[in-house]
Amino acid sequence: MAVLWDQLEQYQPIVMKMLARSIEKERVAHAYLFEGQRGTGKREVSLLLAKSLFCLNRLTYRPCNECRNCRRIDSGNHPDVHWIEPDGQSIKKGQIEALQEEFSKTGVESNQKLYIIRHADKMTNNAANSLLKFLEEPHRGTTAVLLTEQYHRMLPTIISRCQVLSFRTLPPTAIADYLREQQIPPHLALLAAHVTNNREEALELSRDDWFADARKIVLQLYEALQGNPSYALFMIHEKWMPHFQEKQQMDIGLDLLLYLYKDLMYLQLDQLENIVYCDRLDSLQQWALACSQKRMIQNMSTILQAKARLNTNMNTQLLMEQLILNLKEGRPFV
Ligand SMILES: [Zn+2]
């Protein structure tokens, strides 16, 4: 389903406002550079801009998303909208030359043309120099959109010829809203949105059974920690280690545990709006009563220490056993 203007306006209000104004006043720039991390909506905004430029039933600045042009742009089949992506590791001079060749003709269906270059920082030097010449002599009715996650790698000469729009990193609540729109249950959406600030990664994670199971194991581990520490150690062997096999998975597991302690803290501070394990309020309330604020802070810092030790050569099972004992005793790593 096509992403709508209003949805992106929630995530990238400044970018969308600037584009809306330019489209409405028919003052669209010759070249834009969209910069920001992966998953911040650069590709979706490029699509919307393309549709706004070519839509047959545009309403002020919004594309209708239904006309022939909008549909062809959504499916990548509009003859005057060109996408360029790295061919292997880089964008090569030949690709830019082919584009110039194509753009020396007038539009197939109108007098407008648009090209979008994804990962523009991956242009070879020759490709970048070719593009530079192209940007220096803009053709009428031609719009360029360059996308990059690595702004610092773009040539300053190219940057200076583009209107730069910065895409902000999304707050967890925005990512969670997006995930819920994709039918992810709220408790998983909010948790995944805290693990990564990349929408696509968060979506992948929350659709993975591994993630839902990870969450269950973390909750069980916390429960075990409240009772019998030898049972908690048993859980590490039987459940935790087989599930969190890679260091990166272990890192996510520790994050999930950390959010649980943060939730207890938020509960004690009466900041319910920050709670991540939102479907477990009853258990959280019981647990929060049984734990002092001082201990919570100590335990959060112990988990952070364990996360830091993941990057050393320490045996991960030993690390987890040590963590359990430290959490139980409320003491730091030594
Ligand atoms: Zn349309």
Side-chain angles (χ1 to χ4, degrees):
M1 205 184 78
V3 180
L4 301 177
W5 193 287
D6 296 2
Q7 286 169 305
L8 278 156
E9 211 163 41
Q10 289 168 25
Y11 308 137
Q12 301 295 349
I14 299 171
V15 167
M16 298 315 280
K17 198 173 280 178
M18 289 190 62
L19 286 176
R21 206 179 302 149
S22 316
I23 295 166
E24 217 169 6
K25 297 194 169 166
E26 306 211 341
R27 278 201 211 131
V28 172
H30 287 300
Y32 290 101
L33 176 59
F34 292 174
E35 69 93 11
Q37 283 184 22
R38 197 163 82 89
T40 47
K42 299 184 295 298
R43 201 184 69 85
E44 288 96 327
V45 173
S46 312
L47 262 179
L48 275 171
L49 173 63
K51 286 189 277 185
S52 286
L53 293 177
F54 290 91
C55 179
L56 302 169
N57 307 316
R58 194 176 82 203
L59 217 79
T60 61
Y61 53 85
R62 286 163 211 252
C64 74
N65 284 311
E66 281 165 8
C67 71
R68 184 159 172 264
N69 281 352
C70 282
R71 278 186 283 127
R72 283 193 299 172
I73 290 169
D74 270 332
S75 58
N77 290 323
H78 195 290
D80 292 325
V81 177
H82 294 255
W83 289 83
I84 295 197
E85 300 197 7
D87 175 12
Q89 292 297 306
S90 57
I91 296 172
K92 307 194 165 62
K93 188 180 178 191
Q95 290 176 273
I96 303 295
E97 282 174 345
L99 182 77
Q100 279 167 302
E101 169 73 29
E102 178 65 38
F103 274 68
S104 61
K105 306 168 198 161
T106 44
V108 176
E109 295 194 2
S110 61
N111 49 9
Q112 307 206 73
K113 276 171 169 278
L114 169 73
Y115 63 96
I116 302 160
I117 304 182
R118 295 183 78 186
H119 302 288
D121 52 275
K122 293 206 165 79
M123 278 186 283
T124 62
N125 278 344
N126 285 337
N129 284 324
S130 286
L131 181 71
L132 196 56
K133 283 192 209 120
F134 200 30
L135 290 173
E136 278 168 349
E137 303 156 5
H139 293 247
R140 261 183 70 100
T142 292
T143 310
V145 181
L146 280 55
L147 314 186
T148 180
E149 294 160 19
Q150 312 264 354
Y151 181 71
H152 59 280
R153 291 208 177 145
M154 296 293 303
L155 283 181
T157 41
I158 289 196
I159 294 176
S160 68
R161 281 170 180 79
C162 297
Q163 182 176 346
V164 180
L165 295 182
S166 292
F167 284 57
R168 64 174 189 160
T169 306
L170 304 181
T173 46
I175 295 176
D177 288 344
Y178 169 73
L179 296 181
R180 279 192 289 263
E181 281 161 19
Q182 311 295 316
Q183 317 304 324
I184 302 296
H187 63 286
L188 288 178
L190 204 52
L191 194 59
H194 277 78
V195 173
T196 169
N197 57 19
N198 178 316
R199 281 193 314 167
E200 300 315 314
E201 257 174 42
L203 185 60
E204 222 171 278
L205 197 62
S206 55
R207 280 181 175 157
D208 192 343
D209 290 340
W210 178 88
F211 186 65
D213 290 339
R215 181 180 186 274
K216 276 186 209 146
I217 293 173
V218 167
L219 284 162
Q220 284 168 4
L221 181 67
Y222 187 87
E223 252 177 318
L225 264 168
Q226 304 318 297
N228 185 345
S230 52
Y231 181 64
L233 284 174
F234 171 78
M235 265 205 70
I236 293 296
H237 289 246
E238 295 299 310
K239 292 201 167 173
W240 185 283
M241 294 311 294
H243 194 74
F244 301 99
Q245 289 178 2
E246 308 286 329
K247 278 193 177 178
Q248 185 221 353
Q249 295 178 324
M250 182 88 87
D251 196 43
I252 293 179
L254 291 174
D255 275 339
L256 299 192
L257 192 60
L258 186 64
Y259 298 138
L260 192 51
Y261 280 95
K262 280 191 177 169
D263 273 4
L264 299 178
M265 189 79 170
Y266 287 134
L267 251 181
Q268 289 199 346
L269 298 172
D270 217 13
Q271 295 179 8
L272 294 183
E273 68 280 9
N274 291 326
I275 296 216
V276 176
Y277 288 87
C278 48
D279 60 330
R280 297 296 294 260
L281 261 187
D282 287 348
S283 313
L284 289 175
Q285 251 145 3
Q286 278 179 23
W287 295 338
L289 285 174
C291 192
S292 73
Q293 242 176 55
K294 194 176 158 208
R295 173 60 83 82
M296 281 177 209
I297 293 169
Q298 175 59 59
N299 283 354
M300 283 193 265
S301 101
T302 306
I303 296 170
L304 288 171
Q305 283 176 325
K307 270 171 67 75
R309 281 182 191 215
L310 265 185
N311 298 320
T312 66
N313 282 330
M314 189 170 176
N315 174 294
T316 46
Q317 173 144 345
L318 212 62
L319 174 72
M320 284 309 296
E321 287 169 1
Q322 192 68 56
L323 174 68
I324 292 304
L325 297 174
N326 289 346
L327 290 176
K328 190 71 196 163
E329 303 295 328
R331 63 177 183 221
F333 276 89
V334 284

